[in-house]
Amino acid sequence: MSQVLVASNRGPVSFSLSDDGALTMRRGGGGLVSGLAAVTGTAPDGRDAGDADGAAGEASGRPADPRVLWVCAALGDADRTAARRAPDGRIDLAGHDTGGAAVRMLDIPASTFHRAYNEIANSMLWFVHHLLYDTPRRPHFDARARRDWQSYEAYNAAFADALARDAAPGAKAAVQDYHLSLAPRMLRERRPDLKIVHFSHTPWAPPEYFRLLPDDIGEQLLLGVLGADHAGFLTERWASAFLDCCALLPGARVDRAARTVACGGHVTRVGVHGLGVDGAALRERAAEPDVAERARALREQVGDRRLIVRVDRTELSKNIVRGLAAYRELLVNHPEWRGRVVHLAFAYPSRYDLPEYREYTAAVRRTAEQIIEEFGTAAWEPLILQVNDDYPRSLAAYGLADVLLVNPIRDGMNLVAKEGPVLSRRGCALVLSREAGAAAELSDDALMVNPYDVTQTAEALHRALLMPRDERAARGTRLAAAATALPPQRWFAEQLAALD
Ligand SMILES: O=P(O)(O)OC[C@H]1O[C@@H](O)[C@H](O)[C@@H](O)[C@@H]1O
């Protein structure tokens, strides 16, 4: 088997630094990390991984040509310290079973990282692919945006350099997501012998929206991804938006039937790989005592009331405020549910460095407080907003949910819509946005909504609550089957196979 390199912004581990200078290693968060970690075996067990300080310092020579090398960025000061202390940035995973994989953390200067990650990846690119701009005001691409773009180029070049240095001849490199759109082309220039796949975990913007970007930046993004031999997307819809954008790229030839783009003498194939969940692993995790303990506490809190659950990062594209407004409309239009239903909304903190996210988090809290104020009684808490990250509690909630609400404005896939049905014990009535990538696979058995239509969402919640038990169970079984159709291992293997 040829060597495989994975490149992503967030790696499978991250560090914290105590006052005495000791480093503690933890598993990194996020869907991308979970999916890839399951494949490469790089993740420690999800709890604190112990003091890695000594081990990182003592790591002996690097293993020759490990099966998998995961290259990621140091995300903060503690990661940077760990990267500096480790020989050549290669992190010793402190005795964990790594399945032969190794991690290299790139010590990218903090200011370059900030501009590349916050200003370009999470603002410009995330906003464009998720259609989040409020166009009368934003975007506004000025000299500052160009300076930030240079940092994004430098950040991508740092990855390309590391991959080019570490790759064995003929190795396969799997470059992940919008943080690393330029890296495939840069890597091909440095190492034409490698086989490169780029995978987008987000939607891709349609051309009329992609054109909001400055022309030169838009071109570089497309040419960057086209440096790969294979460009993977989560759904047909995002793949075809990418092809539509490429069709407007000077010098590119798009063959829609073959799903290829020829540009500068190189051909890129475009493929669809709809990431699913590993049902067995998820059920195993949900069977652990910490989940059972939280399920008991939740049952006590909710009693015999019906339970509507949502689980999200507090993310603009997740549409949490409209989801709460829909719950409010449900209580207004169908007062018979008052006192008989509880909405449990998990909204974990995310990207707090960006002002839009801080404002959005405040809006979520405000809306939740208003609902509690308006409808709550001494005997009934209509809404529980959980803002601190508690993965076992989310798993417990999936198990107990009568209804799962997933209503993003736009989402690459949305794995919550897939995890919920797998863990649901009562059969899950899923209310799902038609703009989530998961809609392509789950729309037959979910109640589909336009995420901007609050009234329609409220009615879908009502229908979901009324759904007969046997119908819910039958739909839930089919949803779980669709959700597990392409587990991470096969999803990744498919992409590597596409390179052969
Ligand atoms: O900015 P963060 O927290 O590392 O999150 C990044 C990831 O966030 C996930 O929600 C997206 O699906 C991924 O596409 C993305 O890579």
Side-chain angles (χ1 to χ4, degrees), residues 9-10 31-32 117 122 126 177-179 201-202 313 318 350-351:
N9 174 65
R10 189 179 287 279
L32 183 142
Y117 175 69
N122 285 347
W126 184 269
D177 236 350
Y178 57 97
H179 313 90
H201 294 259
T202 60
R313 290 187 295 110
K318 302 292 183 187
S350 183
R351 303 187 188 166

Side-chain angles (χ1 to χ4, degrees), residues 213-247:
L213 295 175
D215 295 351
D216 55 327
I217 288 182
E219 269 183 30
Q220 283 185 62
L221 287 169
L222 294 171
L223 289 172
V225 174
L226 291 175
D229 300 288
H230 189 80
F233 294 89
L234 288 164
T235 69
E236 283 295 337
R237 191 175 169 198
W238 316 141
S240 98
F242 176 73
L243 291 173
D244 292 344
C245 289
C246 288

Side-chain angles (χ1 to χ4, degrees), residues 224-282:
V225 174
L226 291 175
D229 300 288
H230 189 80
F233 294 89
L234 288 164
T235 69
E236 283 295 337
R237 191 175 169 198
W238 316 141
S240 98
F242 176 73
L243 291 173
D244 292 344
C245 289
C246 288
L248 301 175
L249 181 67
R253 247 182 325 107
V254 173
D255 180 337
R256 281 174 203 281
R259 277 215 298 232
T260 57
V261 184
C263 188
H266 174 69
V267 177
T268 304
R269 274 191 296 150
V270 171
V272 174
H273 313 279
L275 176 63
V277 298
D278 180 339
L282 191 61

Side-chain angles (χ1 to χ4, degrees), residues 148-359:
D148 295 339
W149 179 255
Q150 283 172 6
S151 292
Y152 182 76
E153 289 175 322
Y155 164 98
N156 272 260
F159 273 83
D161 287 340
L163 292 166
R165 198 177 58 230
D166 279 331
K172 294 176 173 177
V175 179
Q176 308 298 314
D177 236 350
Y178 57 97
H179 313 90
L180 293 172
S181 306
L182 305 181
R185 185 180 185 206
M186 291 173 165
L187 182 56
R188 170 168 305 286
E189 284 163 4
R190 288 159 175 75
R191 289 288 303 272
D193 62 304
L194 303 184
K195 294 178 179 161
I196 306 169
V197 52
H198 181 272
F199 195 86
S200 294
H201 294 259
T202 60
W204 193 273
E208 61 274 21
Y209 206 84
F210 192 74
R211 289 169 61 150
L212 292 177
L213 295 175
D215 295 351
D216 55 327
I217 288 182
E219 269 183 30
Q220 283 185 62
L221 287 169
L222 294 171
L223 289 172
V225 174
L226 291 175
D229 300 288
H230 189 80
F233 294 89
L234 288 164
T235 69
E236 283 295 337
R237 191 175 169 198
W238 316 141
S240 98
F242 176 73
L243 291 173
D244 292 344
C245 289
C246 288
L248 301 175
L249 181 67
R253 247 182 325 107
V254 173
D255 180 337
R256 281 174 203 281
R259 277 215 298 232
T260 57
V261 184
C263 188
H266 174 69
V267 177
T268 304
R269 274 191 296 150
V270 171
V272 174
H273 313 279
L275 176 63
V277 298
D278 180 339
L282 191 61
R283 282 188 203 102
E284 207 176 295
R285 176 66 188 87
E288 295 208 7
D290 57 348
V291 179
E293 189 189 303
R294 282 158 178 85
R296 261 194 307 278
L298 262 179
R299 246 184 259 118
E300 239 166 68
Q301 218 175 347
V302 174
D304 57 1
R305 299 185 174 95
R306 314 296 288 279
L307 184 62
I308 302 175
V309 171
R310 74 171 305 135
V311 181
D312 293 293
R313 290 187 295 110
T314 308
E315 159 60 56
L316 278 63
S317 62
K318 302 292 183 187
N319 206 22
I320 302 169
V321 172
R322 285 194 194 85
L324 295 175
Y327 179 62
R328 182 184 174 277
E329 270 205 32
L330 170 80
L331 299 178
V332 171
N333 297 345
H334 301 282
E336 66 274 21
W337 289 117
R338 293 187 198 173
R340 294 175 53 218
V341 66
V342 173
H343 184 17
L344 177 56
F346 293 86
Y348 300 138
S350 183
R351 303 187 188 166
Y352 225 62
D353 285 339
L354 298 179
E356 291 89 343
Y357 283 70
R358 293 196 292 273
E359 283 158 28

